Amino acid sequence: VLCGARLHTGPQVRSDVQARAQRALHSGMEPVAKPMLARWFPAHGKPLPPATVDELRQTFLRTAAAGYASCAQALAHYDLRPALTAVRMPLLLTCGALDEEIPQLMRQYAALNARIRLHILDGLGHLPNVHDAAAFQRMADPFLGGCQSI
């Protein structure tokens, strides 16, 4: 199961990710946190308890800026799409419908291999498994249950 995964980066995404990495290195995690949380949990999506958002914000703020920047740099330079064509086991791609361009990317990825299934969760952003854990579980359980015999 891949959730909200971007499996490649183009020039615009690469530039955005690198800018976030530099912002974190120069200014700390605070200026990165607000836009990231807004992406993860869009205001027009399903409401999330403020305590949950605050807990995630605090976790994000405790992340080492250098570690965040290193991960961001790695994410700026990869393309895992060829691996999808080689998948021989069932694969579930899932994401929140409000996760910017990710639903469209997931549709493209799912078209690469007949073994790939796609499920987009309405009203959710980048972290649907956190945003609505129950809906995520209801979606994932049947798929994972069907994989037990593999």
Side-chain angles (χ1 to χ4, degrees), residues 37-88:
L37 287 166
R39 175 180 176 218
W40 293 348
F41 310 108
H44 59 286
K46 182 178 179 175
L48 195 64
T52 302
V53 175
D54 187 58
E55 181 181 337
L56 290 164
R57 183 179 178 279
Q58 294 304 318
T59 299
F60 192 83
L61 292 175
R62 286 190 302 270
T63 301
Y68 174 84
S70 292
C71 288
Q73 292 293 350
L75 292 175
H77 300 282
Y78 71 105
D79 187 349
L80 300 176
R81 291 173 294 181
L84 290 178
T85 61
V87 167
R88 294 178 191 217

Side-chain angles (χ1 to χ4, degrees), residues 114-130:
R115 292 180 177 92
I116 299 174
R117 299 291 173 257
L118 173 63
H119 192 99
I120 298 174
L121 294 156
D122 291 330
L124 304 178
H126 187 63
L127 299 176
N129 55 318
V130 173

